[in-house]
Amino acid sequence: MNSTINLLQRHRSIRRYQSRPLTSEQIENIIRSAQMASTSSNVQAYSVIGVTDPEIKKKLSVFAGNQAYIEQCPFFLVWCADLYRLREACYIQNSKMVHETVENFIVATVDVTLAAQNAAIAAESMGLGIVYIGGIRNNPEKVSKLLNIPELVYPVFGMCVGYPDQDPAIRPRLEMKAIYHENTYHTEDITGHIKKYDEVMHQYYLERTNGKRSTTWSQEMAAKFKQPSRSHMRSFLNDQGFRFE
Ligand SMILES: Cc1cc2nc3c(=O)[nH]c(=O)nc-3n(C[C@H](O)[C@H](O)[C@H](O)COP(=O)(O)O)c2cc1C
């Protein structure tokens, strides 16, 4: 095992941070590392907003469902899928961009996600901790207004970054065979994998919460997917100019 693999396999989300700020060199290295992620046809269909202003972080924390660590972390990143700049590039060429496709939406969403994960690894390699914040999609309109996000751009998720002020356990994953299929997809063992993972997660929850949480993974998933989540996203995306034809 080398140090990169070791770093990747030690990841855990951090939800409590020291107040110590990041240096501008750290920020630059995180963002430059993000930029070197692969990007579909070099379209670079994303932007990222770095937030250090306490007032803005406070508002974002409320919009994301009162997740206090957004306010507490010294550096908060808002990762955006971005077709706006590409439309400008087309304008420069006196060309009209056909942006209203599911494919362009996927490209931009994948691009920003790859960049963000590069940033996460860069940050963790410096001894910093991170947690992704999908909660900003609870109130995507308010977030966009606050951050001046233009049309053809949407905030996909946020990311808290800072020095950890906690040392949480690594969260176990499904066993590798559950997600890795050789040559063709195998459905036959799935139930067995889920049951095994249920036992692992049941134990993990018990230990992490001193016995207060005694659910299993499949129970958690069933509760989560019993109803639609953030169904406002379709109309929000539509209003931002992401119309699918
Ligand atoms: C796109 C995305 C959105 C997430 N949103 C939140 C969030 O809003 N709040 C939070 O506390 N954790 C959030 N997480 C963190 C996950 O809960 C966490 O990564 C997962 O439970 C696995 O735990 P680990 O990162 O500690 O290994 C998010 C993760 C991802 C990838």
Side-chain angles (χ1 to χ4, degrees):
M1 192 146 64
N2 62 42
S3 57
T4 307
I5 290 175
N6 193 26
L7 178 80
L8 291 168
Q9 296 188 6
R10 273 199 335 262
H11 160 79
R12 73 267 199 273
S13 290
I14 295 298
R15 296 183 175 84
R16 205 163 61 222
Y17 296 91
Q18 300 170 26
S19 55
R20 182 175 161 194
L22 273 63
T23 63
S24 48
E25 191 189 348
Q26 282 176 316
I27 293 175
E28 190 174 326
N29 275 320
I30 290 169
I31 303 302
R32 285 193 189 281
S33 301
Q35 284 193 274
M36 289 315 295
S38 294
T39 157
S40 183
S41 309
N42 201 25
V43 294
Q44 302 171 69
Y46 62 92
S47 290
V48 57
I49 302 166
V51 183
T52 50
D53 183 318
E55 282 306 309
I56 300 180
K57 277 193 294 159
K58 192 173 184 176
K59 286 186 182 147
L60 288 171
S61 149
V62 174
F63 295 161
N66 294 313
Q67 301 200 52
Y69 25 98
I70 300 176
E71 193 182 347
Q72 199 210 6
C73 71
F75 190 48
F76 187 68
L77 290 165
V78 179
W79 294 94
C80 303
D82 188 340
L83 298 175
Y84 181 87
R85 187 172 44 240
L86 289 164
R87 188 177 61 180
E88 292 299 303
C90 295
Y91 278 157
I92 289 172
Q93 295 301 325
N94 288 321
S95 178
K96 192 175 174 302
M97 181 187 188
V98 181
H99 56 77
E100 301 94 342
T101 64
V102 172
E103 177 62 12
N104 285 345
F105 172 74
I106 293 173
V107 162
T109 306
V110 170
D111 259 22
V112 71
T113 306
L114 297 178
Q117 184 58 14
N118 260 23
I121 303 306
E124 289 182 343
S125 77
M126 298 175 203
L128 297 161
I130 67 107
V131 62
Y132 281 86
I133 302 290
I136 65 164
R137 294 195 309 276
N138 288 356
N139 285 292
E141 278 173 26
K142 289 182 182 163
V143 169
S144 301
K145 201 163 171 230
L146 178 68
L147 302 177
N148 215 10
I149 291 174
E151 62 170 346
L152 294 188
V153 181
Y154 88 94
V156 183
F157 43 70
M159 183 186 284
C160 298
V161 187
Y163 286 97
D165 194 25
Q166 63 175 180
D167 187 16
I170 289 171
R171 190 173 284 214
R173 299 298 201 254
L174 286 153
E175 68 178 336
M176 192 183 105
K177 278 194 216 143
I179 60 104
Y180 177 66
H181 304 258
E182 280 181 1
N183 296 312
T184 55
Y185 195 106
H186 297 278
T187 52
E188 52 275 14
D189 301 329
I190 286 180
T191 314
H193 291 311
I194 294 171
K195 286 190 174 150
K196 266 199 221 163
Y197 190 52
D198 272 350
E199 281 170 31
V200 173
M201 287 307 282
H202 181 62
Q203 209 48 45
Y204 168 82
Y205 290 139
L206 283 176
E207 279 163 26
R208 207 182 66 150
T209 62
N210 284 330
K212 281 191 211 115
R213 185 167 165 189
S214 62
T215 54
T216 66
W217 182 74
S218 60
Q219 277 175 346
E220 298 274 326
M221 296 303 114
K224 180 176 168 59
F225 291 103
K226 200 154 65 180
Q227 63 281 310
S229 66
R230 299 184 184 130
S231 25
H232 54 263
M233 281 308 289
R234 177 186 275 271
S235 67
F236 165 72
L237 287 171
N238 226 291
D239 292 346
Q240 285 300 105
F242 290 88
R243 294 184 196 101
F244 310 126
E245 286 167 4

